[in-house]
């Protein structure tokens, strides 16, 4: 099975800050990497698919990059509604595993 | 707009069977998409349980394979999850989701349902 390792596990930042979250796969996954945002009591919502493609309706301040085993999610300028938990997920081979999550908190 | 809705008991006794159904609207489960179950224990991360497809599958997480069954009822546009021999470790919010092919991303999710395993 492919293991996904996210860092950091938590992050404190302010509105307007630029933040980066990283995700590393235990083996090659090409660009089959997705990023989701989850708010308390809600289902995850997709932000980025195929490593760098912005899902419909997602603000352009979200950017994904990477290929192979190393990936990043960058939020260029934090808005108040961005404080949430973020998960990466590989969809290269089943079981489609998730990272452990990064909780983004207000500083 | 595709919508998914989980339903089933919120409380299951230890050693019992967890049974959930996901009702899909706005899309046919006979389409070229995979239909998936994911769970999230309280305060923890997401775990992929398994998936099913009209033209193939099901595929299961090896960690649960001996206890899980996913099936489809095309006449009702539903798919279901059955997990046997449950313990407290199976307490979680269970989500159903649609995997969009070929980009392999979960673009629609149910709201989730909390299942507690307790006597």
């Amino acid at each position: 099975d492919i293991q996904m390792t996210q860092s950091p596990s938590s992050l404190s930042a302010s509105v307007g800050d630029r933040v980066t979250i990283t995700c590393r796969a235990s083996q090659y996954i090409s660009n089959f990497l997705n990023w989701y945002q989850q708010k308390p009591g809600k289902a995850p919502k997709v932000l980025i698919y195929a490593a760098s493609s912005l899902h419909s309706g997602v603000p352009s301040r979200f950017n994904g990059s990477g290929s192979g085993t190393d990936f990043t999610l960058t939020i260029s300028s934090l808005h108040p509604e961005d404080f949430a938990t973020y998960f990466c997920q590989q969809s290269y081979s089943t079981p489609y595993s998730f990272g452990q999550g990064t909780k983004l908190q207000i500083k | 707009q595709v919508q998914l809705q989980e339903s089933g008991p919120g409380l299951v006794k230890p050693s019992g069977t967890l049974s959930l159904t996901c009702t899909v609207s706005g899309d046919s489960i006979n389409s070229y998409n995979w239909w998936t179950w994911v769970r999230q224990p309280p305060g923890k991360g997401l775990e992929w349980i398994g998936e099913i497809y009209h033209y193939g599958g099901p595929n299961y997480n090896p960690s649960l394979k001996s206890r899980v069954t996913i099936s489809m009822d095309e006449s009702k546009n539903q798919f279901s999850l059955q997990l046997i021999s449950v313990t407290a470790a199976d307490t979680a919010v269970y989500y159903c989701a649609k995997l969009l092919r070929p980009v392999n991303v979960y673009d629609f999710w149910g709201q989730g349902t909390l299942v507690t395993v307790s006597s």
Side-chain angles (χ1 to χ4, degrees), chain A residues 1-34:
Chain A
D1 296 359
I2 299 173
Q3 310 303 317
M4 304 301 294
T5 304
Q6 260 181 263
S7 61
S9 56
S10 64
L11 178 58
S12 294
S14 302
V15 172
D17 284 353
R18 177 186 180 93
V19 299
T20 297
I21 300 168
T22 65
C23 184
R24 174 166 288 178
S26 61
Q27 62 189 72
Y28 174 82
I29 60 170
S30 185
N31 69 334
F32 286 94
L33 190 285
N34 307 312

Short mmCIF file of all heavy atoms in Angstrom, two decimals, chain A residues 1-34:
data_model
loop_
_atom_site.label_atom_id
_atom_site.label_comp_id
_atom_site.label_asym_id
_atom_site.label_seq_id
_atom_site.Cartn_x
_atom_site.Cartn_y
_atom_site.Cartn_z
N ASP A 1 0.83 -1.20 0.00
CA ASP A 1 0.00 0.00 0.00
C ASP A 1 0.88 1.26 0.00
O ASP A 1 1.98 1.26 0.54
CB ASP A 1 -0.89 0.04 1.25
CG ASP A 1 -1.89 -1.11 1.30
OD1 ASP A 1 -1.90 -1.92 0.34
OD2 ASP A 1 -2.62 -1.19 2.28
N ILE A 2 0.38 2.33 -0.58
CA ILE A 2 1.11 3.59 -0.63
C ILE A 2 0.79 4.42 0.61
O ILE A 2 -0.38 4.62 0.95
CB ILE A 2 0.73 4.36 -1.91
CG1 ILE A 2 1.12 3.54 -3.15
CG2 ILE A 2 1.42 5.73 -1.94
CD1 ILE A 2 0.65 4.13 -4.47
N GLN A 3 1.83 4.87 1.28
CA GLN A 3 1.66 5.72 2.46
C GLN A 3 1.85 7.18 2.06
O GLN A 3 2.76 7.51 1.30
CB GLN A 3 2.69 5.36 3.53
CG GLN A 3 2.77 3.87 3.85
CD GLN A 3 1.44 3.29 4.30
OE1 GLN A 3 0.72 3.90 5.09
NE2 GLN A 3 1.10 2.11 3.79
N MET A 4 0.98 8.03 2.58
CA MET A 4 1.03 9.47 2.30
C MET A 4 1.40 10.20 3.59
O MET A 4 0.75 10.01 4.62
CB MET A 4 -0.31 9.96 1.77
CG MET A 4 -0.80 9.22 0.54
SD MET A 4 0.33 9.29 -0.84
CE MET A 4 0.28 11.05 -1.22
N THR A 5 2.44 11.01 3.52
CA THR A 5 2.92 11.75 4.70
C THR A 5 2.79 13.24 4.44
O THR A 5 3.41 13.77 3.51
CB THR A 5 4.37 11.40 5.01
OG1 THR A 5 4.49 9.98 5.18
CG2 THR A 5 4.82 12.10 6.28
N GLN A 6 1.99 13.91 5.25
CA GLN A 6 1.78 15.34 5.14
C GLN A 6 2.56 16.07 6.20
O GLN A 6 2.74 15.57 7.31
CB GLN A 6 0.29 15.66 5.38
CG GLN A 6 -0.55 15.87 4.17
CD GLN A 6 -1.97 16.20 4.51
OE1 GLN A 6 -2.83 15.32 4.50
NE2 GLN A 6 -2.24 17.47 4.79
N SER A 7 3.00 17.27 5.87
CA SER A 7 3.60 18.13 6.87
C SER A 7 3.33 19.60 6.54
O SER A 7 3.23 19.96 5.35
CB SER A 7 5.12 17.88 6.96
OG SER A 7 5.73 18.17 5.72
N PRO A 8 3.18 20.44 7.58
CA PRO A 8 3.14 20.03 8.99
C PRO A 8 1.78 19.43 9.35
O PRO A 8 0.86 19.47 8.53
CB PRO A 8 3.35 21.36 9.71
CG PRO A 8 2.70 22.36 8.81
CD PRO A 8 2.97 21.88 7.41
N SER A 9 1.64 18.89 10.55
CA SER A 9 0.34 18.37 10.98
C SER A 9 -0.57 19.51 11.44
O SER A 9 -1.79 19.37 11.41
CB SER A 9 0.52 17.35 12.10
OG SER A 9 1.25 17.92 13.17
N SER A 10 0.03 20.62 11.86
CA SER A 10 -0.75 21.80 12.21
C SER A 10 0.06 23.03 11.87
O SER A 10 1.30 22.98 11.81
CB SER A 10 -1.17 21.80 13.68
OG SER A 10 -0.03 21.88 14.51
N LEU A 11 -0.65 24.12 11.67
CA LEU A 11 -0.02 25.34 11.19
C LEU A 11 -0.85 26.52 11.68
O LEU A 11 -2.07 26.53 11.52
CB LEU A 11 0.01 25.29 9.66
CG LEU A 11 0.57 26.43 8.85
CD1 LEU A 11 2.01 26.73 9.22
CD2 LEU A 11 0.46 26.09 7.36
N SER A 12 -0.19 27.51 12.25
CA SER A 12 -0.86 28.74 12.66
C SER A 12 -0.44 29.86 11.73
O SER A 12 0.75 30.05 11.48
CB SER A 12 -0.51 29.10 14.10
OG SER A 12 -1.02 28.15 15.00
N ALA A 13 -1.41 30.59 11.23
CA ALA A 13 -1.12 31.67 10.29
C ALA A 13 -2.16 32.76 10.42
O ALA A 13 -3.20 32.57 11.07
CB ALA A 13 -1.07 31.12 8.86
N SER A 14 -1.89 33.88 9.77
CA SER A 14 -2.79 35.03 9.83
C SER A 14 -3.43 35.27 8.48
O SER A 14 -2.90 34.84 7.43
CB SER A 14 -2.02 36.28 10.25
OG SER A 14 -1.40 36.09 11.50
N VAL A 15 -4.56 35.96 8.49
CA VAL A 15 -5.22 36.36 7.25
C VAL A 15 -4.21 37.13 6.40
O VAL A 15 -3.49 38.01 6.91
CB VAL A 15 -6.47 37.19 7.54
CG1 VAL A 15 -7.05 37.77 6.26
CG2 VAL A 15 -7.52 36.34 8.24
N GLY A 16 -4.12 36.79 5.14
CA GLY A 16 -3.19 37.44 4.24
C GLY A 16 -1.88 36.70 4.06
O GLY A 16 -1.12 36.98 3.12
N ASP A 17 -1.58 35.76 4.95
CA ASP A 17 -0.32 35.01 4.86
C ASP A 17 -0.34 34.04 3.68
O ASP A 17 -1.40 33.62 3.21
CB ASP A 17 -0.08 34.19 6.13
CG ASP A 17 0.40 35.02 7.30
OD1 ASP A 17 0.67 36.23 7.10
OD2 ASP A 17 0.51 34.45 8.42
N ARG A 18 0.85 33.71 3.24
CA ARG A 18 1.05 32.65 2.25
C ARG A 18 1.47 31.39 3.00
O ARG A 18 2.37 31.46 3.85
CB ARG A 18 2.14 33.06 1.26
CG ARG A 18 2.50 32.02 0.22
CD ARG A 18 3.70 32.52 -0.58
NE ARG A 18 4.13 31.60 -1.61
CZ ARG A 18 3.71 31.63 -2.86
NH1 ARG A 18 2.84 32.54 -3.23
NH2 ARG A 18 4.15 30.75 -3.75
N VAL A 19 0.80 30.28 2.74
CA VAL A 19 1.13 29.04 3.43
C VAL A 19 1.33 27.91 2.43
O VAL A 19 0.72 27.90 1.36
CB VAL A 19 0.06 28.63 4.48
CG1 VAL A 19 -0.08 29.69 5.55
CG2 VAL A 19 -1.26 28.35 3.82
N THR A 20 2.20 26.99 2.82
CA THR A 20 2.49 25.83 1.99
C THR A 20 2.39 24.56 2.82
O THR A 20 2.93 24.50 3.93
CB THR A 20 3.89 25.94 1.36
OG1 THR A 20 3.92 27.09 0.51
CG2 THR A 20 4.21 24.70 0.54
N ILE A 21 1.72 23.57 2.28
CA ILE A 21 1.59 22.25 2.90
C ILE A 21 2.22 21.24 1.95
O ILE A 21 2.03 21.33 0.73
CB ILE A 21 0.11 21.91 3.14
CG1 ILE A 21 -0.54 22.94 4.07
CG2 ILE A 21 -0.04 20.50 3.72
CD1 ILE A 21 -2.06 22.85 4.14
N THR A 22 2.97 20.31 2.50
CA THR A 22 3.62 19.33 1.64
C THR A 22 3.06 17.94 1.88
O THR A 22 2.55 17.62 2.97
CB THR A 22 5.14 19.32 1.85
OG1 THR A 22 5.42 18.89 3.19
CG2 THR A 22 5.73 20.70 1.64
N CYS A 23 3.18 17.12 0.87
CA CYS A 23 2.69 15.75 0.91
C CYS A 23 3.69 14.88 0.17
O CYS A 23 4.09 15.22 -0.96
CB CYS A 23 1.31 15.69 0.26
SG CYS A 23 0.51 14.08 0.32
N ARG A 24 4.08 13.80 0.78
CA ARG A 24 5.05 12.89 0.16
C ARG A 24 4.46 11.48 0.11
O ARG A 24 3.93 10.98 1.10
CB ARG A 24 6.35 12.88 0.94
CG ARG A 24 7.37 11.85 0.46
CD ARG A 24 8.75 12.11 1.03
NE ARG A 24 9.34 13.27 0.40
CZ ARG A 24 10.54 13.76 0.74
NH1 ARG A 24 11.22 13.21 1.72
NH2 ARG A 24 11.03 14.81 0.13
N ALA A 25 4.57 10.87 -1.06
CA ALA A 25 4.11 9.50 -1.24
C ALA A 25 5.26 8.53 -1.03
O ALA A 25 6.41 8.85 -1.35
CB ALA A 25 3.53 9.32 -2.64
N SER A 26 4.95 7.36 -0.52
CA SER A 26 5.99 6.36 -0.24
C SER A 26 6.51 5.69 -1.51
O SER A 26 7.54 5.00 -1.47
CB SER A 26 5.48 5.30 0.73
OG SER A 26 4.37 4.61 0.16
N GLN A 27 5.80 5.89 -2.63
CA GLN A 27 6.28 5.41 -3.91
C GLN A 27 5.70 6.28 -5.02
O GLN A 27 4.84 7.12 -4.78
CB GLN A 27 5.92 3.92 -4.12
CG GLN A 27 4.43 3.63 -4.15
CD GLN A 27 4.14 2.15 -4.12
OE1 GLN A 27 4.30 1.46 -3.11
NE2 GLN A 27 3.71 1.62 -5.26
N TYR A 28 6.17 6.06 -6.22
CA TYR A 28 5.78 6.87 -7.37
C TYR A 28 4.27 6.83 -7.60
O TYR A 28 3.67 5.75 -7.63
CB TYR A 28 6.52 6.34 -8.61
CG TYR A 28 6.13 6.98 -9.91
CD1 TYR A 28 6.67 8.19 -10.30
CD2 TYR A 28 5.20 6.36 -10.76
CE1 TYR A 28 6.31 8.78 -11.50
CE2 TYR A 28 4.84 6.94 -11.96
CZ TYR A 28 5.42 8.14 -12.33
OH TYR A 28 5.06 8.71 -13.52
N ILE A 29 3.63 8.02 -7.74
CA ILE A 29 2.20 8.09 -8.02
C ILE A 29 1.88 8.99 -9.22
O ILE A 29 0.74 9.42 -9.39
CB ILE A 29 1.39 8.54 -6.79
CG1 ILE A 29 1.82 9.94 -6.32
CG2 ILE A 29 1.50 7.53 -5.66
CD1 ILE A 29 0.87 10.53 -5.27
N SER A 30 2.90 9.30 -10.04
CA SER A 30 2.70 10.19 -11.17
C SER A 30 2.08 11.50 -10.68
O SER A 30 2.62 12.11 -9.76
CB SER A 30 1.83 9.49 -12.22
OG SER A 30 1.71 10.29 -13.37
N ASN A 31 0.97 11.91 -11.29
CA ASN A 31 0.30 13.13 -10.82
C ASN A 31 -1.06 12.81 -10.21
O ASN A 31 -1.94 13.67 -10.12
CB ASN A 31 0.14 14.13 -11.95
CG ASN A 31 -0.86 13.66 -13.00
OD1 ASN A 31 -1.07 12.45 -13.15
ND2 ASN A 31 -1.47 14.58 -13.71
N PHE A 32 -1.25 11.56 -9.76
CA PHE A 32 -2.53 11.17 -9.17
C PHE A 32 -2.60 11.58 -7.71
O PHE A 32 -2.63 10.74 -6.78
CB PHE A 32 -2.75 9.66 -9.34
CG PHE A 32 -3.10 9.27 -10.75
CD1 PHE A 32 -2.11 8.88 -11.64
CD2 PHE A 32 -4.42 9.32 -11.19
CE1 PHE A 32 -2.43 8.53 -12.94
CE2 PHE A 32 -4.74 8.97 -12.49
CZ PHE A 32 -3.75 8.57 -13.37
N LEU A 33 -2.64 12.89 -7.50
CA LEU A 33 -2.63 13.46 -6.17
C LEU A 33 -3.71 14.53 -6.09
O LEU A 33 -3.75 15.43 -6.93
CB LEU A 33 -1.25 14.05 -5.86
CG LEU A 33 -0.90 14.51 -4.46
CD1 LEU A 33 -1.56 15.84 -4.07
CD2 LEU A 33 -1.23 13.43 -3.41
N ASN A 34 -4.56 14.40 -5.10
CA ASN A 34 -5.66 15.34 -4.90
C ASN A 34 -5.53 16.01 -3.54
O ASN A 34 -4.99 15.44 -2.60
CB ASN A 34 -7.00 14.60 -4.97
CG ASN A 34 -7.14 13.78 -6.24
OD1 ASN A 34 -6.87 14.26 -7.33
ND2 ASN A 34 -7.55 12.52 -6.09
#
